[in-house]
Amino acid sequence: MARRAVGRLTAGGRTVLGLTLGVPGLVDTTGTVPLAATLNWRDAPVAAELRAALREPGFPVAVENVANLAVLAEQRHGDRAGTANLVHLTGGVGIGAGVLVDGRLLRGGRGFAGQVGHLPLDPAGPACRCGRRGCLEALVGLPAVVRRLLPDVESDGAVTDFAPEIERIQALARAEDRSTLAGLADLGRHLGHGAAVLADLLNPEAVLVGGHFAALAPWLLPAARTELTRRTLAPDAGGCRLEASTLGAEATALGGATASLAAVEAGRLPAPTAPADRRPGPGGRTPVGPRDRPDIRSGGHPSTHPRGSDPTNLLTGGRGWCKPQTAAP
């Protein structure tokens, strides 16, 4: 897939400036994935394999945790753009936190910071796939939410595409189904409990929730905000606001483009490799045409990076909240 994406760009006369793959799991500082449970990956040298598959390209190839990429996108392109202390809480099969402290991404010693999905909140709670009970993920992860609100959902087998189920839950909530609204309020309290732990530990200006949390925000966040304020030690939750992300499923891809842009803005440009039909002709002149206009291919935010407005070609891969997603032209 990466080779095809790069080939499509270079065949059009573009120069690829960076490729970023977002992974829902642990990613170390070398781009190796020690564990990505939802993908069944263990000790996968993803960055090295990507570089080898691309025959050691002249542009940077990076592998990053999806939550880290999402918070980078929030800082630059979201409603909280420019915020120095910020958390993006991903919503999906797994839950992770991308954390900015004083404007810098918090990685930890080996790059594993932000793994809040297995934060134990209720020792008597439901069993988690990690072997413990009452983890945040077991309480409000996407499968847990769907099972809680749609008890019959697995009668025909395991759910593999959660998008239709989230739409069913939204329809029930809009119809003011009492059982659904009560369940969403209870789930919101668990979400607020998790946010309170982050608020006490990090004192962010905002915690932004993405994925299914954002899709169900009108019904989750009222109870979550009350719980956040109730549980945090500092008055008024230390100034922390709990809000829904507005970047949608593109947050990870946009974050990958943002990360690559940082290298470009620092002046680190890859050496361009022209395809055969774009190599200099007689006199050393290269044909110029419409395809020489700058373009961004990041799956990004149209109001921030309209096509043709930014002199970059960035390939990014991410993961949406319902099923794997890649964003590369």
Side-chain angles (χ1 to χ4, degrees):
M1 182 181 293
R3 282 197 299 266
R4 287 198 300 270
V6 171
R8 287 171 63 184
L9 279 177
T10 55
R14 307 295 185 183
T15 298
V16 176
L17 301 184
L19 183 149
T20 301
L21 176 70
V23 175
L26 299 175
V27 182
D28 70 17
T29 54
T30 71
T32 295
V33 179
L35 177 64
T38 58
L39 300 177
N40 293 317
W41 289 1
R42 285 185 179 272
D43 298 319
V46 180
E49 290 180 354
L50 271 175
R51 292 188 191 101
L54 295 170
R55 298 180 177 87
E56 300 298 331
F59 52 82
V61 174
V63 178
E64 183 61 270
N65 176 269
V66 292
N68 287 347
L69 293 175
V71 80
L72 291 175
E74 297 285 4
Q75 186 193 39
R76 184 154 178 165
H77 308 289
D79 285 353
R80 286 279 179 169
T83 301
N85 294 280
L86 188 64
V87 175
H88 178 102
L89 195 64
T90 62
V93 175
I95 297 174
V99 180
L100 289 173
V101 176
D102 295 333
R104 298 175 65 88
L105 188 63
L106 181 66
R107 295 185 178 279
R110 297 189 179 181
F112 303 151
Q115 300 300 314
V116 300
H118 298 286
L119 191 70
L121 299 183
D122 182 4
C128 182
R129 59 193 172 94
C130 72
R132 291 173 285 188
R133 304 191 73 88
C135 296
L136 180 62
E137 183 179 302
L139 293 166
V140 297
L142 182 53
V145 168
V146 170
R147 282 195 297 267
R148 169 71 184 273
L149 300 177
L150 301 173
D152 64 339
V153 71
E154 294 181 335
S155 59
D156 294 327
V159 178
T160 56
D161 182 2
F162 288 94
E165 315 310 331
I166 292 297
E167 291 171 359
R168 283 180 60 193
I169 293 169
Q170 289 173 323
L172 289 168
R174 292 189 186 105
E176 299 185 350
D177 178 79
R178 294 178 64 183
S179 175
T180 300
L181 292 177
L184 284 165
D186 191 42
L187 292 165
R189 284 187 283 273
H190 291 309
L191 178 61
H193 186 179
V197 174
L198 293 170
D200 276 339
L201 184 64
L202 301 167
N203 190 212
E205 296 164 70
V207 173
L208 304 176
V209 296
H212 68 285
F213 298 139
L216 300 174
W219 306 282
L220 289 175
L221 291 190
R225 288 170 178 145
T226 299
E227 195 73 4
L228 168 65
T229 301
R230 186 179 78 84
R231 285 186 175 272
T232 47
L233 179 63
D236 191 31
C240 177
R241 297 293 174 258
L242 183 57
E243 301 170 356
S245 170
T246 59
L247 295 182
E250 294 180 342
T252 296
L254 187 55
T258 299
S260 292
L261 276 171
V264 174
E265 291 169 346
R268 298 190 297 273
L269 299 176
T273 302
D277 66 339
R278 303 292 294 156
R279 290 172 186 162
R285 298 176 62 86
T286 301
V288 177
R291 63 183 176 180
D292 293 289
R293 289 194 297 268
D295 189 14
I296 184 165
R297 304 294 181 96
S298 64
H301 196 283
S303 64
T304 308
H305 288 302
R307 288 186 181 272
S309 70
D310 198 292
T312 58
N313 294 284
L314 306 170
L315 301 178
T316 63
R319 185 175 177 85
W321 55 266
C322 295
K323 52 189 176 182
Q325 174 199 10
T326 56

